[in-house]
Amino acid sequence: MKQHGANGLQRAYLLWTIAGTSLIVAAVAGASVIEVLTGTADAGSLVWGIIGIAALLEALVLFAVGLRLRHRYLHQVQGYESRGDYLADDGSNRVQIPLLGDGQARPNITHEGL
């Protein structure tokens, strides 16, 4: 159960990475896309224009799906099962804060300067 939430956020970042790559392809084919949309494309420009339009649509869909995954991850209730494990004790006597926090860690703040 706790791996599902982290995987959702990781999947969103992966989808955004792929969307960014698709945007690069769409940018490379940008002039051809404009020629296709205006109707002045020759055979080679038509192929690149179609590839550019497909890459742009793919990027938009992947970005929207990534936003949906991120939204679902951020709005799920974090319980003891889904928040993650405590950090391993490294012997430094520092406060061990849970990975996502559950409000149980004592604050390490002093108000000596006030």
Side-chain angles (χ1 to χ4, degrees):
M1 179 87 175
K2 66 182 170 184
Q3 292 296 328
H4 177 67
N7 287 338
L9 196 57
Q10 290 170 352
R11 277 183 274 162
Y13 292 142
L14 175 67
L15 289 176
W16 289 339
T17 302
I18 296 170
T21 305
S22 296
L23 282 177
I24 292 171
V25 171
V28 168
S32 299
V33 170
I34 292 171
E35 289 178 7
V36 167
L37 294 178
T38 59
T40 61
D42 59 357
S45 296
L46 180 65
V47 171
W48 269 108
I50 291 172
I51 290 171
I53 292 171
L56 184 61
L57 291 175
E58 177 191 24
L60 291 174
V61 168
L62 290 176
F63 183 72
V65 171
L67 278 178
R68 179 72 179 138
L69 286 174
R70 183 179 175 270
H71 177 77
R72 187 182 326 156
Y73 173 76
L74 292 177
H75 288 90
Q76 75 181 1
V77 175
Q78 298 292 329
Y80 284 106
E81 295 83 23
S82 64
R83 68 171 166 73
D85 297 328
Y86 283 87
L87 300 175
D89 185 15
D90 61 357
S92 66
N93 292 328
R94 289 184 293 165
V95 176
Q96 299 295 315
I97 300 173
L99 293 178
L100 295 177
D102 62 350
Q104 299 297 319
R106 65 179 175 85
N108 194 15
I109 299 173
T110 60
H111 300 287
E112 296 171 5
L114 296 177

